Amino acid sequence: MNKLVLATGNQKKVKELAAMLADLDIQVVPQSEFAVSEVAETGTTFVENAIIKARHAAKATGLPAVADDSGLEVDLLQGRPGVYSARFASDNATDRDNIDKLLAELSGVPADLRTARFWCVLVFMRHENDPTPLICQASWEGLITEELRGQNGFGYDPVFFVPGEGCTSAELPAERKNQLSHRGQALARLKAALAAAD
């Protein structure tokens, strides 16, 4: 395998994943280069949605595909926003819309009860009918801050406080974030699985 397609339309995810896969001898191409249409994420779990996206991209391009489905799970909100993280405030929500809704729902909640984690599920499918896709997942524990901090990253990064680092995800340098994050951990597992499968 010398080329795979990234099954996401999120250019920030493409950039993040491509950077993390750079040391593999694999050309990583975003699905936008093939004009792959968006597919409805009808699953109720991150695993289901990642499989839907990977299968769709593999079918449309004829290439092996990697899909990511990830989101934020807040304990006090019984796991919400979860699979609806990107559309928490509405179907066309911006990152700021989603953050504003989250902060409003946690208004007045003390710091020690604002526990949360990011989840990332990465699915690798060799082809659209792959009966045994590689599934790698990881989480990243943190707390939800009361205000936005930092300019890096995307999504909920400005309100996701990383206790071990003393700052939010959006205040971390990209290289450090990639070492710690849910996506970085899941990708390390996927890279190891791909190397073992060769």
Side-chain angles (χ1 to χ4, degrees):
M1 176 181 66
N2 56 10
K3 184 189 280 192
L4 64 79
V5 63
L6 273 182
T8 179
N10 183 324
Q11 292 307 306
K12 290 175 180 171
K13 277 187 185 178
V14 169
K15 186 177 178 184
E16 204 168 82
L17 285 167
M20 289 190 235
L21 287 168
D23 61 334
L24 290 180
D25 192 22
I26 298 171
Q27 182 186 357
V28 180
V29 185
Q31 69 178 15
S32 58
E33 287 197 13
F34 298 92
V36 175
S37 62
E38 291 291 317
V39 64
E41 295 178 34
T42 55
T44 57
T45 65
F46 296 126
V47 172
E48 289 171 330
N49 283 334
I51 288 173
I52 288 167
K53 290 188 279 191
R55 177 170 287 127
H56 179 70
K59 181 177 183 179
T61 65
L63 291 170
V66 171
D68 151 288
D69 201 53
S70 51
L72 181 70
E73 180 182 83
V74 179
D75 293 318
L76 199 72
L77 302 181
Q78 298 177 318
R80 290 185 307 124
V83 294
Y84 305 105
S85 292
R87 50 193 189 278
F88 188 41
S90 71
D91 281 346
N92 299 308
T94 64
D95 288 350
R96 185 60 192 257
D97 294 337
N98 289 327
I99 287 172
D100 287 347
K101 178 176 171 67
L102 177 65
L103 294 182
E105 292 204 14
L106 292 176
S107 179
V109 174
D112 61 330
L113 297 180
R114 299 171 78 95
T115 53
R117 70 209 45 81
F118 277 125
W119 278 101
C120 174
V121 173
L122 289 174
V123 168
F124 170 77
M125 297 188 82
R126 292 164 293 182
H127 50 78
E128 67 170 298
N129 297 313
D130 190 344
T132 55
L134 286 174
I135 301 172
C136 300
Q137 65 183 41
S139 63
W140 190 21
E141 298 291 325
L143 297 162
I144 304 303
T145 59
E146 293 183 24
E147 56 191 31
L148 287 78
R149 290 170 40 187
Q151 302 299 316
N152 302 328
F154 58 94
Y156 296 92
D157 286 346
V159 293
F160 187 78
F161 184 79
V162 185
E165 300 295 306
C167 65
T168 68
S169 175
E171 293 174 298
L172 289 171
E175 190 175 305
R176 183 64 177 149
K177 179 189 173 187
N178 290 347
Q179 291 171 342
L180 299 171
S181 77
H182 53 308
R183 194 167 292 112
Q185 294 176 62
L187 193 61
R189 290 172 188 172
L190 179 64
K191 286 165 76 169
L194 287 173
D198 266 356

